[in-house]
Amino acid sequence: ISATSAFTSGADDKPGNLIFYTTADGGTSPTERLRIDSNGNIGVNQTSVNSSRKVEITQPSSYTSALRINSAGSAGNGAYVEFFVGSANYKVGGDHSTNALLFQKDGTEYMRHDSSGRLLIGHTSSINTGGLDSQVQVVGTDTEKSSLCLARFVNDSGEPFLIFAKS
């Protein structure tokens, strides 16, 4: 672990970086793995931190994922990532009891990708209509919440298409 000066020091300050090194199995020299810069920005697997991002992870090519969030909770509990935008609280995460990926805003679920690969908007379980459990379902209690819009915004004679095909 190393603490270094980040910039030329002034008369009354000394901005610095905190750098963590490890040596790979079979290696002979340490490699920088994590850096916290003088602004509190964090970089993983990179030697400089992008000042426009608070946390950045660079994934080595030998890895299959850069970040894993795992929940060992019981049914009904899950692992979530939370985002706060203004006064709104957004959560994206999984539900152990249904094996679904959930999208929530301020505690209300608005979209779900269920364990069968269906995208459910406006409801939490698949609806069988005409003998089909469709892959994309939009359900609501009024016109706006149960509508699907297909629009093309360009000043020409072209239009959007809804294509039905069968092989």
Side-chain angles (χ1 to χ4, degrees):
I1 299 174
S2 171
T4 63
S5 179
F7 306 103
T8 304
S9 300
D12 60 350
D13 70 340
K14 187 166 181 79
N17 295 316
L18 187 57
I19 305 171
F20 295 78
Y21 297 87
T22 64
T23 302
D25 185 26
T28 59
S29 60
T31 302
E32 181 176 332
R33 304 296 184 187
L34 178 122
R35 175 184 294 247
I36 303 171
D37 74 6
S38 60
N39 294 315
N41 300 325
I42 299 170
V44 179
N45 286 327
Q46 52 197 28
T47 57
S48 63
V49 178
N50 186 323
S51 61
S52 66
R53 296 176 185 91
K54 205 62 182 161
V55 177
E56 184 170 351
I57 300 170
T58 300
Q59 176 179 313
S61 60
S62 60
Y63 287 77
T64 57
S65 63
L67 176 66
R68 178 179 180 184
I69 299 172
N70 189 22
S71 171
S74 60
N77 297 320
Y80 287 91
V81 176
E82 290 190 64
F83 304 92
F84 293 89
V85 181
S87 62
N89 175 7
Y90 294 91
K91 288 171 69 174
V92 178
D95 180 348
H96 281 286
S97 62
T98 63
N99 291 322
L101 178 62
L102 311 177
F103 297 83
Q104 300 175 345
K105 179 184 176 217
D106 296 329
T108 301
E109 182 179 323
Y110 62 91
M111 188 167 59
R112 168 183 294 242
H113 187 258
D114 75 8
S115 60
S116 296
R118 292 180 291 254
L119 180 62
L120 311 176
I121 302 171
H123 61 118
T124 59
S125 61
S126 180
I127 295 174
N128 183 298
T129 306
L132 298 173
D133 285 320
S134 299
Q135 285 298 103
V136 177
Q137 300 178 22
V138 179
V139 175
T141 56
D142 60 25
T143 302
E144 286 184 4
K145 291 183 177 137
S146 58
S147 297
L148 184 63
C149 176
L150 187 62
R152 180 175 171 176
F153 287 76
V154 64
N155 188 12
D156 65 17
S157 62
E159 64 280 331
F161 288 95
L162 180 59
I163 299 172
F164 297 91
K166 183 178 185 302
S167 64

